Amino acid sequence: MTTTVSWPYAHILSARERLYDHLVRRVEADGAIRDRCASRILESALLLSLLRKERAGPDTQEALTGFLGRARPAGFLDAAAAAAVTGRPVASAEVRAHLDGFRHFTGARKQLLLETLLAVLGALPFDGRTDPGRVPDEEQAVWTDVTLRAVRILHAAHRDEESPGLDTDRVRMAASLSSFDAGKVWQGNALAHLIALHALHTYQPGGALLRDGLCVLIRVQNADRGIPFIAGQEVFVTALAGTVLAGAGDRRDVVPRMAAYVADRQLADGGWGYDETTTQSDVDDTSRCARLLRLAGPNTYEHRLGRADNYLRRMADAAGGWPTYVRGHAPEPDMTAGAVIALAPDWRRHSGILDQAVDFLLDVQGGDGTWQRSWTLSESSVIVYVVEALGRTTAHVSPTARTRIAAATAKAVRRLEQTQNPDGGWGQRNGDTSDALSTAQAVPVIVRHGTATTAGRALAHLLDQQEPEGGFTAPPDQVGPRPLPFDFPVLTGVHALAALNTAVEAHPANGRPQSAAV
């Protein structure tokens, strides 16, 4: 349905212009937006622990201790990590119970990782329950592979035994670290680099590879003296921001520069990774980057778009859907939605896999109207992505599928209407305090498909959150490794601009009552 809107058009336009200018000021000369990942307790605690083991960096140790004393834990695991490394009591039984309650399709691997990290920090004992052998050895993302090798090395060191594959794990982990660009955080992933260095310490303490890694990680310390999860996310952020700046009209003509920057970061396999240094491609970044290039110049970037399409086709699951990193891994709704949006403009060529993807998205919707939250915390973040993807397919699918899409969309809208807070906004989950990011991600669905009253209240709340310089602030929504949140603050403004773009497009004063998704 198309919403008959009543919110003040001039106010929305003004807010959008201020936000557009705010984001454009972040675009650097080469077209990239380079935001800083906020510091996290886990990485800061791991670096402090490693520096102590190596008897290195006393000034950095002092700075990290100060950060950990000031930092507010984002959850139970943060609190346990900070307490353990600063010498405060840790309730190990409560930590274990919390980990035992973790439910995710990557659950066994993620539990093993988190249990091992907390054991390294002293929050849990190394014991038989934390068994690396319970995780199958299969193809993984590069950082997952190195992390699992590091975990096996750490457990073998604790048991003081030479397990059958230990030498192989040591050689391959060290070779992977050594092959990466000197002076860079390995794959841009500070957490994976830290885990590997802790493992390296067990058999090469004081070695050159370990010393060099410590120097690199110290250099990415933030102003608050904490350590981020990843060193950057400039490819992902630039692609996403370029898309919404294009949707806002791009009166400063920055999008061509942003698209050129993104195009130059395409990897050999046709995909993209999240930052300038990683060699690991993924479906999410590839979908976002391809979307920007198609908006900015489908003819200019025809060859790169063809390679991206081929990458996405290769990654598609035989039964429908897309995973994040490795074909054959479980498909995920948000990855699938992104791939559908990227491939839908060439429906004829991709109709077979897209029809399967639509069925997958419809089949995995929950009874409450939501989809699985994978790389995000907010329900609305996946809802908006999937609803947009389904909306782009309705002109091509069968009448039966169109009926199912309409029902799925209505169910998602009902969920958002039922979970809207009295102040007009949304929190990450039902009952959570409203925040600008969760609200911004709900707005496009409500504006396009909800009631005018719900949309008006949502926009009023969002506009009230805009800061004097034009930006927005919210708690982090991204997670990595799942379920740990990490924060690139600029993304709140990016999603808010997407919401305001939709509001402008849908407003009768714009002369286009039927909104066109960007």
Side-chain angles (χ1 to χ4, degrees), residues 68-427:
L68 291 168
R70 297 186 303 272
R72 297 182 61 183
F76 197 84
L77 297 177
D78 262 1
V85 81
T86 55
R88 290 178 278 127
V90 179
S92 295
E94 293 181 28
V95 175
R96 181 72 74 183
H98 181 85
L99 290 171
D100 286 346
F102 176 54
R103 296 290 181 267
H104 194 269
F105 67 85
T106 63
R109 188 177 77 234
K110 213 53 59 73
Q111 277 187 322
L112 170 64
L113 170 63
L114 296 176
E115 288 171 3
T116 302
L117 293 179
L118 290 172
V120 165
L121 295 173
L124 287 177
F126 275 99
D127 58 34
R129 291 186 56 181
T130 309
D131 177 17
R134 74 184 195 221
V135 177
D137 195 3
E138 58 186 5
E139 185 180 1
Q140 303 282 1
V142 290
W143 38 77
T144 305
D145 179 75
V146 161
T147 296
L148 288 174
R149 293 185 190 282
V151 165
R152 290 195 289 263
I153 292 166
L154 287 163
H155 281 269
H158 174 75
R159 295 191 299 267
D160 194 23
E161 65 182 35
E162 296 289 318
S163 58
L166 184 58
D167 283 342
T168 299
D169 284 335
R170 286 172 171 171
V171 168
R172 291 187 178 178
M173 186 191 75
S176 185
L177 293 181
S178 300
S179 66
F180 202 68
D181 292 344
K184 304 281 189 182
V185 173
W186 182 80
Q187 296 288 343
N189 190 319
L191 177 58
H193 203 163
L194 279 162
I195 299 165
L197 294 181
H198 272 275
L200 199 61
H201 172 80
T202 66
Y203 66 96
Q204 286 184 2
L209 191 57
L210 179 48
R211 291 198 311 272
D212 291 347
L214 284 172
C215 289
V216 166
L217 288 161
I218 289 170
R219 284 201 295 271
V220 298
Q221 247 185 326
N222 285 323
D224 62 7
R225 310 315 302 273
I227 302 298
F229 161 50
I230 52 180
Q233 201 181 23
E234 54 275 2
V235 174
F236 174 84
V237 170
T238 302
L240 193 60
T243 299
V244 299
L245 289 171
D250 193 27
R251 53 189 166 80
R252 300 284 186 88
D253 202 29
V254 296
V255 171
R257 274 193 290 133
M258 300 174 81
Y261 167 83
V262 165
D264 287 345
R265 270 70 193 173
Q266 190 171 31
L267 299 174
D269 62 4
W272 279 267
Y274 64 88
D275 86 332
E276 296 173 338
T277 66
T278 185
T279 62
Q280 175 68 62
S281 58
D282 64 81
V283 167
D284 192 18
D285 287 288
T286 301
S287 300
R288 307 278 188 178
C289 291
R291 184 177 186 179
L292 174 61
L293 297 190
R294 199 176 298 280
L295 278 171
N299 295 325
T300 302
Y301 298 112
E302 181 179 7
H303 177 67
R304 293 188 183 276
L305 286 166
R307 293 176 58 213
D309 285 2
N310 289 336
Y311 170 87
L312 291 172
R313 287 182 64 88
R314 290 195 305 272
M315 289 290 288
D317 188 83
W322 274 265
T324 303
Y325 298 115
V326 178
R327 189 177 191 274
H329 284 193
E332 303 172 54
D334 48 357
M335 299 298 103
T336 301
V340 167
I341 292 169
L343 294 176
D346 193 3
W347 187 278
R348 183 174 298 179
R349 181 184 175 210
H350 308 301
S351 60
I353 56 175
L354 288 172
D355 282 333
Q356 287 183 317
V358 170
D359 287 340
F360 168 78
L361 291 172
L362 293 170
D363 289 344
V364 298
Q365 186 180 27
D368 62 359
T370 65
W371 282 269
Q372 178 193 58
R373 291 171 298 130
S374 182
W375 292 102
T376 57
L377 294 172
S378 298
E379 285 185 359
S380 58
S381 67
V382 186
I383 289 175
V384 68
Y385 212 23
V386 175
V387 168
E388 180 181 350
L390 291 174
R392 289 173 179 266
T393 72
T394 53
H396 307 284
V397 296
S398 68
T400 300
R402 281 198 294 273
T403 300
R404 293 187 67 199
I405 289 170
T409 301
K411 191 188 296 185
V413 172
R414 280 197 302 274
R415 173 65 177 184
L416 291 176
E417 290 177 338
Q418 291 166 358
T419 57
Q420 188 177 32
N421 286 327
D423 62 8
W426 283 264

